[in-house]
Every structure is written in C-alpha cells, then in structure tokens.
C-alpha cells in the first residue's frame, strides 16, 4: 500500500504515472479540502475533484480544473443576470453569522452565487449538487466522495483529509483576510501575502480512514507546500503520523525556481525560503526527497533521488514515480521494482 497527499495540480499530475508503479487498488489519495468553498449553496471541492475527474478520465487537462469539453450555460447566465441587475460579479461572501450557521462542512468559506466568480461547468455543477445533497441527507464528506468515486469508476481510494471544515485564508499585507479562492481565482494571486491561516484546523480531525492510510508509506508530490499540503499538516496528529512512517517528497522547485503557481509567494509570505531548501524545512518528517537533476540543493540529512522532475505527460509522471519508488525503498518503505531505473 502507498498513500499520496494531493493538492493543487502537482500531485494529481504525478498520479498519472503512479498507476504504472503502484497498483491503483492498493493506493490511497488523501486530498486537501482547505480550498473548498460553498458557492451558491453547493460545496465545491477543487482538490478532491481534480483527482476524481483525472481518475475518471474526464479531467480538463488544459486547465487541470473541471470536466473536459463541459458547457457553461448556467455559469454564463448567472454572470449575465448579475450584470443586467447591476449586482457585480466579484466574490460575495455571505455574512458573518451565515459563515458559521447551517452546514458545518461549509463554514468560513461561504459565497453567494450571484455573479459566480468561479467558472463552474454544467456537468461539474452536477457533481457539486450531488455531493451537497448527500451531505444534506446526512452523509459525511468521506461517504459522499466515496459515492462519487464509485460513479466515476475510480480505482484509487480517494479520501478527503477530514470530515470537518478547514478554510485556507490569506492575510494580505494590506490588512485583508480573504479565502484562498479569492486570492487565486478572483485576484490571480496579486495581493502580497503576509500570512496564511488554516481556520478550523485545530478543531478538525483526520478521519479514521485517513489515519489508516497515513500508516502506509507516503508520497508527497510536487504540490504547493503552503496551501495544498499545509492544511493537511495543520490537522492534529498528521505530522506525528508522518514522522512514524516512511515519507518521500517531490520538490515543486528547482533550487529557487518554482515550476508553476503561487508557491514561492506563499512560502515567502509565511516566512519560509521559497526554494527546495525551504520545502525541506517545511517537511521535517520527510525521510527522502526527489529533486530535479539540475537542482543545486544539498540535503545532507535526507536521502535524495534525482531525475528530471518536470511532469508534462504520463511518461514524465512515471519517471518521477519510479524515483519516488526508489526513495521509499531506500528509507524502508518498500522495494523498488525490478524495472526501476537508477538515475544519478
């Protein structure tokens, strides 16, 4: 068994090749839910759904968001109505009382659907309606995601990090507190980051299924250490569990250069060096790292495997997965397969 911690696009891209290395039915994927929002009454789980849609063969791989070739008629009509009524189309948070009332799973991250600042496809929306309705029927988020995974014929065991709400909030240098989706989607990561808060994490718990998965060897793909992996690490007991099992992490940096996304700005905002060295500091529990062959970083206290870590397709993902397999074998997390190629 092997468990992946997934958030953003880095780890889902790695999963494209992981199935060639590890049996998918023996693979668990713990997905970040700190990015989740309730938009117009429907719970949207971006990091969960990227894994769901990729495993189901329907992910839009141009955007790594939503369903390929989806229509957006409802979204466009919501925008038209807002414009016609002069209501605007920016993020519209519900009031403070509404943020903590109603569904516990949606608290601290509730937005009005007026103007819909996140583009939601029509088929994509059906997933959100189904998930939210299952929650309203009394299912846990884990149970709802399990039902959707069955509907998409997912082979891996997809687990939300918690059935409790955690909201990733960005504190800006201008003194604002905004949800990550406003920071990333509406403002295109423009505000300077002063800090990042995982609201609710101290009171949330990893599920029993997540705790069981974290007892197996763990791979952390090249996801954003702050907002993709950070919410999971903020849950009580998760770092301790990772310290007790073999862990290999793939750096999303090559030295001080990040492959994509706002990881560098976010790491700097929380006081970490935006580099592979900063990732190693953020993951003190990691026994091994997979670094790019051009990465000059020296990690003398960790086992290091080197390869080309850029992932553009499934073959790239397999190459990086093989390096993860070798790293886990080196730190006692299994044996490298007979066709594993050693890359110096």
């Amino acid at each position: 068994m092997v468990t992946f911690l997934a958030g953003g696009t880095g780890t889902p891209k790695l999963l494209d090749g992981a199935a060639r290395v590890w049996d998918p039915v023996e693979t668990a994927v713990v997905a970040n839910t700190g990015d989740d929002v309730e938009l117009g009454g429907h719970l949207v789980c971006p990091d969960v759904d990227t894994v769901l849609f990729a495993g189901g063969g329907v992910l839009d791989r141009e955007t790594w968001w939503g369903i390929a070739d989806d229509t957006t008629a409802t979204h466009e009509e919501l925008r038209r109505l807002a414009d016609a009524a002069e209501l605007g189309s920016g993020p519209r948070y519900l009031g403070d009382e509404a943020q903590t009332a109603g569904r516990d799973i949606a608290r601290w991250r509730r937005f009005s659907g007026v103007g819909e600042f996140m583009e939601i496809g029509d088929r994509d929306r059906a997933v959100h309606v189904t998930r939210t309705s299952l929650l309203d029927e009394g299912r846990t988020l884990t149970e709802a995601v399990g039902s959707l995974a069955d509907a998409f014929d997912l082979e891996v065991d997809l687990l939300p990090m918690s059935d409790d709400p955690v909201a990733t909030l960005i504190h800006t240098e201008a003194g604002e507190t905004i949800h990550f989706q406003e920071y990333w989607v509406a403002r295109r990561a423009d505000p300077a980051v002063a800090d990042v808060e995982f609201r609710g994490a101290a009171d949330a718990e990893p599920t029993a299924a997540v705790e069981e998965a974290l007892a197996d060897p763990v791979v952390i793909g090249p996801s954003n250490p702050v907002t993709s992996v950070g919410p999971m690490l903020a849950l009580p007991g998760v770092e301790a569990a990772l310290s007790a099992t073999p862990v290999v992490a793939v750096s999303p940096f090559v030295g001080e250069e990040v492959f994509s996304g706002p990881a560098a700005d976010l790491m700097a905002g929380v006081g970490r060096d935006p580099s592979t060295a900063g990732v190693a500091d953020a993951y003190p529990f990691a026994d091994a790292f997979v670094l790019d062959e051009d990465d000059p970083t020296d990690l003398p206290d960790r086992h290091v495997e080197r390869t080309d870590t850029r992932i553009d397709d499934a073959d790239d993902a397999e190459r990086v997965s093989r390096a993860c397999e070798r790293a886990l074998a080196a730190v006692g997390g299994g044996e490298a397969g007979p066709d594993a190629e050693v890359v110096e």
Side-chain angles (χ1 to χ4, degrees):
M1 294 285 290
V2 66
T3 295
F4 288 80
L5 303 189
T9 62
T11 303
K13 287 181 178 180
L14 181 62
L15 289 170
D16 267 357
R20 302 180 186 177
V21 179
W22 293 282
D23 185 348
V25 300
E26 296 292 320
T27 300
V29 179
V30 179
N32 169 44
T33 58
D35 293 0
D36 295 2
V37 295
E38 185 185 279
L39 182 60
H42 301 142
L43 184 64
V44 181
C45 302
D47 287 353
V48 170
D49 290 348
T50 297
V51 178
L52 182 71
F53 297 157
V58 299
L59 179 69
D60 184 336
R61 291 176 179 270
E62 293 296 319
T63 61
W64 283 83
W65 158 262
I67 293 175
D69 301 319
D70 204 351
T71 56
T72 56
T74 303
H75 174 76
E76 291 163 11
E77 182 64 7
L78 285 167
R79 301 278 287 197
R80 188 197 70 78
L81 287 171
D83 288 343
E86 299 183 351
L87 295 171
S89 58
R92 301 165 67 97
Y93 294 87
L94 299 188
D96 291 343
E97 184 176 345
Q99 290 292 343
T100 55
R103 297 187 193 97
D104 286 344
I105 195 64
R107 58 176 51 190
W108 306 303
R109 49 195 181 182
R110 306 180 101 163
F111 292 84
S112 166
V114 172
E116 197 170 72
F117 77 100
M118 298 172 70
E119 182 178 279
I120 308 292
D122 297 321
R123 292 177 61 199
D124 191 3
R125 193 181 307 275
V127 171
H128 309 321
V129 171
T130 300
R131 173 170 41 231
T132 309
S133 297
L134 290 172
L135 293 173
D136 287 344
E137 290 177 3
R139 310 279 187 96
T140 65
L141 182 60
T142 297
E143 291 168 341
V145 169
S147 294
L148 290 167
D150 289 342
F152 281 89
D153 293 325
L154 216 63
E155 292 185 286
V156 300
D157 190 12
L158 177 57
L159 305 169
M161 69 183 196
S162 179
D163 287 333
D164 303 315
V166 177
T168 297
L169 303 179
I170 306 298
H171 298 277
T172 73
E173 289 188 355
E176 301 170 290
T177 299
I178 60 177
H179 191 277
F180 174 76
Q181 295 299 349
E182 177 174 357
Y183 165 80
W184 180 234
V185 177
R187 304 225 218 157
R188 305 299 182 189
D190 181 61
V193 178
D195 202 0
V196 179
E197 175 189 358
F198 305 118
R199 187 167 295 179
D203 298 319
E205 295 181 355
T207 65
V210 167
E211 291 176 337
E212 182 178 352
L214 293 181
D216 292 319
V218 170
V219 174
I220 304 175
S223 294
N224 185 320
V226 179
T227 54
S228 293
V229 179
M232 291 183 262
L233 302 183
L235 294 174
V238 167
E239 283 212 35
L242 293 172
S243 296
T245 196
V247 176
V248 59
V250 183
S251 177
F253 289 82
V254 179
E256 297 181 350
E257 296 295 321
V258 68
F259 275 113
S260 64
D265 290 341
L266 288 163
M267 288 189 71
V270 299
R272 293 198 180 277
D273 189 40
S275 66
T276 289
V279 176
D281 288 341
Y283 299 160
F285 46 79
D287 304 288
F289 278 83
V290 172
L291 305 186
D292 192 87
E293 54 202 5
D294 292 330
D295 193 323
T297 309
D298 183 29
L299 299 177
D301 298 329
R302 320 285 183 99
H303 178 84
V304 173
E305 293 285 338
R306 293 186 182 272
T307 188
D308 179 355
T309 56
R310 177 172 293 279
I311 302 176
D312 292 325
D313 56 30
D315 290 338
D316 291 341
E318 179 183 0
R319 180 185 62 247
V320 178
S321 293
R322 296 275 177 209
C324 291
E325 181 189 35
R326 295 194 301 273
L328 282 178
V331 298
E335 297 183 0
D339 56 347
E341 176 187 359
V342 177
V343 179
E344 299 295 339

